[in-house]
Amino acid sequence: MSTVHIESMKEDISNIVLMPGDPKRSDYIANKFLTNVKMVNNVRGMNAYTGLYKNKRITIFPSGMGNPSMGIYSYELFKEYGVDYIIRIGSCGSYDKKVNVNDIILVNKSISESTYAKSLDNYDKKEVCSSNKLNNIIYHTAINNKNNITIGNIYSSDVFYEKEYDYNKRKLNLNVLGIEMETFALFNNARKFNKDASCLLTVSDTFYDSEMLSSEEREKGLDEMILLALESTLNL
Ligand code: HPA
């Protein structure tokens, strides 16, 4: 079996998928955290892997950048590959001093001006929720494993290089912790197919100061988020 964008055999994809944005991060996670790893997709360099995390069979599949790319991969995984759970593990810019570089956000709602949902199935709301069930599991896993997480809403933009923005206005008007570019499409696909999607984000930059972290510090922050997502799958 294959779809327009995925060459995997159906049985090679787990019903639980972790989605980083970057295909290189997919390589990193598979190498560092999974055993019995098999590469299951290489179309367009979107390296996906299926393997074991403590005996749980997991697929790591990159989303690429932006709602359109996330929209394609999560749509095909839910609809054609029988995937039930997708956890996005990405990065975001922070608008709110509550969350600083390397902090982890568990997304409640994605708010967006994207036309993705309208084009998908005429859904015309500007916000969409994460899975309650999956968020609860992640939340309790975080508490058990002593991970510090902040729960809140995120703005999902279609434009990285916006002509103008006022982060204060957006933060106050929309009640969001920060900005990223993929979660609106993911949550809408989960809504359409009645599946479960959640999103964990590590803050990679902030709009209120210019703190810089070493690549080592960044990697450590990412590892904590990746491990939280992996540990959460053990409770599914
Ligand atoms: N904007 C959009 N997406 C992002 C950002 C940002 O500043 N940082 C990480 N993902």
Side-chain angles (χ1 to χ4, degrees):
M1 166 183 179
S2 65
T3 60
V4 180
H5 307 96
I6 304 176
E7 64 188 343
S8 318
M9 304 292 288
K10 191 165 181 178
E11 61 271 22
D12 278 345
I13 302 283
S14 166
N15 71 324
I16 304 168
V17 174
L18 263 49
M19 290 192 98
D22 182 354
K24 288 226 175 79
R25 195 147 298 149
S26 192
D27 301 340
Y28 172 81
I29 297 167
N31 280 330
K32 185 156 182 181
F33 298 102
L34 300 188
T35 56
N36 293 59
V37 176
K38 176 177 179 180
M39 187 187 241
V40 293
N41 188 65
N42 192 23
V43 177
R44 292 179 185 245
M46 298 301 262
N47 304 334
Y49 301 90
T50 296
L52 297 178
Y53 176 74
K54 298 185 178 174
N55 282 332
K56 193 85 173 180
R57 195 164 167 269
I58 313 276
T59 295
I60 315 289
F61 207 114
S63 67
M65 286 185 283
N67 284 310
S69 183
M70 167 58 93
I72 289 169
Y73 293 108
S74 57
Y75 186 102
E76 292 179 11
L77 288 168
F78 281 142
K79 180 163 189 285
E80 310 295 344
Y81 283 92
V83 169
D84 296 312
Y85 303 100
I86 296 181
I87 305 175
R88 162 163 155 72
I89 39 176
S91 67
C92 69
S94 169
Y95 283 156
D96 194 316
K97 291 192 169 129
K98 267 200 295 204
V99 275
N100 217 316
V101 172
N102 256 1
D103 285 353
I104 299 173
I105 294 173
L106 174 61
V107 176
N108 181 27
K109 276 188 230 172
S110 161
I111 294 162
S112 186
E113 280 145 33
S114 163
T115 55
Y116 186 88
K118 184 96 166 54
S119 299
L120 180 71
D121 62 353
N122 262 329
Y123 182 85
D124 58 12
K125 295 196 190 105
K126 299 295 187 196
E127 56 179 63
V128 62
C129 278
S130 55
S131 157
N132 242 326
K133 173 183 166 181
L134 199 45
N135 268 29
N136 263 324
I137 288 172
I138 294 170
Y139 175 71
H140 285 109
T141 306
I143 287 179
N144 282 338
N145 295 357
K146 302 197 165 42
N147 299 116
N148 218 329
I149 60 167
T150 304
I151 300 175
N153 301 334
I154 199 84
Y155 182 71
S156 300
S157 179
D158 277 344
V159 184
F160 188 88
Y161 298 107
E162 296 176 274
K163 74 173 162 26
E164 59 187 31
Y165 58 80
D166 180 334
Y167 82 87
N168 263 321
K169 219 190 275 168
R170 203 176 258 161
K171 178 187 141 197
L172 291 172
N173 289 349
L174 301 178
N175 185 27
V176 291
L177 294 174
I179 179 168
E180 53 83 74
M181 302 185 72
E182 291 80 20
T183 305
F184 192 67
L186 173 63
F187 287 1
N188 273 294
N189 284 339
R191 174 186 56 73
K192 177 176 170 64
F193 295 116
N194 207 9
K195 305 275 190 167
D196 291 287
S198 287
C199 173
L200 285 166
L201 299 168
T202 300
V203 174
S204 58
D205 45 290
T206 75
F207 285 78
Y208 51 78
D209 67 22
S210 55
E211 185 189 350
M212 291 290 282
L213 287 186
S214 68
S215 54
E216 201 180 312
E217 285 171 311
R218 275 180 195 249
E219 196 161 292
K220 231 173 99 204
L222 279 175
D223 278 5
E224 189 183 349
M225 172 181 65
I226 293 162
L227 275 166
L228 171 56
L230 287 166
E231 285 286 319
S232 298
T233 68
L234 302 178
N235 298 315
L236 283 172

